[in-house]
Amino acid sequence: TDPRVPDPEFFRRHGLVSYLGVPLIAKEEILGVLGFYTKEEHEFTNEEVEFFMTLASQAAVAIYNAQLYDETKRNLEHIQALQEIDKAITSTLDLRTVLDVLLQKIDLSLPYATATVRLFNKESGLLEPVACRNLDEKEWKAEQWRGGRGIPNVVFKNKAPWMVSNVQTDPRVQDREFFRKHGLVSYLGVPLLVKDEVLGVLSFYTKEEHEFTNEEIGFLSTLAGQAAIAIHNSQLYQEMVSLAAQLSRSNKVKDEFLSIMSHELRTPLNVVMGYTGMIRDGLLGEINPEQEK
């Protein structure tokens, strides 16, 4: 009957009458509330309140320690996952292999349904789809999904993580039908940053609506930083391989040119040297001292 209670019907249905709530406090932080209900109207005494406060204090310490343990365990799991992913993606310099290993490790380590990688193409100026996990890659790379349309472009432009609670209904999202078809709901995109340069975007999707926590965003941003370094090294390696191939072709062309030129010059030079020898020996008539010189 108390007008301060927001949902009295719930308590009527379950026959709950009187209530006492005590805070769960540990290290001056409120972790929650411990509530007690009676089936009949009851005036809680000071002794009862004090007892329940003591009980709540003990419970708060136990809850705090359990939360601290869970947090420590999660941090260790994250560190282990980062180490495994870092070891895997730095074991090769082939870009496609790096991306495949990265997505495979993410799939094994993180509870997200789908992960994708888009890289910025400096020549085309587009954020292009490169690799994905748990998606039809051919369909994902279809023409309408090329740079400029997808939600990762917001991440790329802002150089910061961006989250969408429901990509199937959010009016800012284009091509919502694609996400409905594949059952993708929540989205988080993190930039692949190296020395303040955005190489691309690493995206995560879930099958159910999910609010990414600050802890998750921080961990995935760290993961993206590791991946960005590996991708950057792969791109540099590929540029060096390409440059080496170009230099090799250039040297081959130069050698071919010199070979042709030396062959073409040899015949007329031999003729000139032959006639010069005949003139010097007087076979074509007498020559004066200046000509001989």
Side-chain angles (χ1 to χ4, degrees), residues 16 23 46 50 75 83 90 187 189 192 203 207 239 258 275:
L16 304 177
N46 290 336
E50 185 177 343
N75 288 338
Q83 288 176 336
T90 54
Y187 168 81
L192 294 164
S203 298
K207 290 284 187 179
E239 288 176 7
L258 291 176
Y275 274 102

Side-chain angles (χ1 to χ4, degrees), residues 73-88:
K73 184 179 178 182
R74 282 197 307 273
N75 288 338
L76 288 173
E77 288 173 351
H78 285 172
I79 292 170
Q80 184 178 2
L82 288 172
Q83 288 176 336
E84 290 179 358
I85 291 172
D86 184 59
K87 182 179 179 181

Side-chain angles (χ1 to χ4, degrees), residues 116 118 127 145-146 148-158 160 162-164 166-168 170-176 179 185-189 201 203-205:
T116 65
R118 288 173 178 262
L127 190 62
W145 280 91
R146 297 188 70 78
R149 287 178 57 85
I151 48 179
N153 285 276
V154 178
V155 181
F156 181 80
K157 291 176 182 176
N158 294 335
W162 193 54
M163 182 173 60
V164 179
N166 194 322
V167 292
Q168 298 182 13
D170 196 300
R172 298 170 297 177
V173 178
Q174 301 183 51
D175 305 300
R176 292 191 291 271
F179 299 114
V185 183
S186 294
Y187 168 81
L188 173 67
V201 175
S203 298
F204 302 92
Y205 300 86

Side-chain angles (χ1 to χ4, degrees), residues 119-128 146-148 153:
L119 296 180
F120 181 67
N121 187 323
K122 293 180 181 179
E123 294 182 2
S124 66
L126 299 175
L127 190 62
E128 297 182 342
R146 297 188 70 78
N153 285 276

